[in-house]
Amino acid sequence: MCLQMHMKLENTFEVREKKFMFFKTNESHPLPHHPFKACIAPRPIGWVSTANRDGVGNVAPFSFFNGIAQNPPQLMIAINGKSPHAERKDTLQNIENTKEFVVNIATYDLKDEMFRTAAPEHPDMDEAELAGLEMIPSTLIKPKRIKKSPIHLECVLTEIIPLLCDHESERNTAIFGHVVGIHIDDGVLVDGKVDLKKVNPISRLGYKDYATLGDIFQLDAPWRKG
């Protein structure tokens, strides 16, 4: 009886035991594709509109993006690598020069236009025109907003921080912005709250994968008001 019980416990342990593959990030890995971005998911997409010094618009999506503070509201986008046309990507160059940008929320209905603006165009080319996006003026800053996006965050640059980069010819950069104005489409407001089901934002996963919202649930914290 004791032997049978011992064997049963051993079998139970074998079923529950997990195996982990491991690799050092500065060495090669055994997988067909690097898993890092799939491990940090979902990531909201910051669809950033900027303008250069001559007023030429630029629109590009970035998935290393999120809010980082509330009082005052602040957010961060990270821009990796370089443009095939210059040492730094147009969005980074424009923000460095003008200190202003808009984060537009990318939605499922706008997924094709969002993906089109990801292409590395020449700095003198306005991606909004190529993607057929109508742009409208912002209230407090010069870069325009994407009209069909239901939420726009007007931002003023607060800080640019260089990040580690494996390639000397490229740049990894974190951009921090103060959200000075927020536009919300009345159609996505229900009882004074943003209804994310109506917004239907898309997020970035790993590889070629994107996602929409799944189930939404609430956790009521008794120590938190509102």
Side-chain angles (χ1 to χ4, degrees), residues 78-99:
I79 299 178
N80 296 176
K82 64 179 181 179
S83 164
H85 310 288
E87 291 185 358
R88 61 194 68 182
K89 292 186 176 180
D90 298 342
T91 300
L92 174 58
Q93 182 71 70
N94 291 346
I95 293 174
E96 285 182 326
N97 290 340
T98 69
K99 310 295 190 290

Side-chain angles (χ1 to χ4, degrees), residues 45 47 59-61 106-107 110-121 131 133 202 204 207-208 210:
I45 298 172
W47 202 5
V59 178
T107 67
L110 293 171
K111 63 184 184 302
D112 294 331
E113 291 89 339
M114 181 278 299
F115 194 68
R116 177 64 184 86
T117 62
E121 303 293 345
L133 292 169
I202 54 175
R204 193 72 170 91
Y207 317 113
K208 298 179 180 180
Y210 294 78

Side-chain angles (χ1 to χ4, degrees), residues 87-147:
E87 291 185 358
R88 61 194 68 182
K89 292 186 176 180
D90 298 342
T91 300
L92 174 58
Q93 182 71 70
N94 291 346
I95 293 174
E96 285 182 326
N97 290 340
T98 69
K99 310 295 190 290
E100 296 178 338
F101 59 100
V102 180
V103 174
N104 308 269
I105 298 303
T107 67
Y108 182 80
D109 289 342
L110 293 171
K111 63 184 184 302
D112 294 331
E113 291 89 339
M114 181 278 299
F115 194 68
R116 177 64 184 86
T117 62
E121 303 293 345
H122 191 276
D124 293 333
M125 181 63 67
D126 190 334
E127 288 84 354
E129 293 183 7
L130 294 177
L133 292 169
E134 182 179 354
M135 305 298 289
I136 55 178
S138 295
T139 301
L140 303 174
I141 61 177
K142 291 183 180 180
K144 294 183 178 181
R145 304 174 281 137
I146 299 172
K147 183 177 182 179

Side-chain angles (χ1 to χ4, degrees), residues 137-158:
S138 295
T139 301
L140 303 174
I141 61 177
K142 291 183 180 180
K144 294 183 178 181
R145 304 174 281 137
I146 299 172
K147 183 177 182 179
K148 286 187 176 181
S149 171
I151 298 175
H152 317 126
L153 308 173
E154 296 189 19
C155 302
V156 174
L157 174 67
T158 58

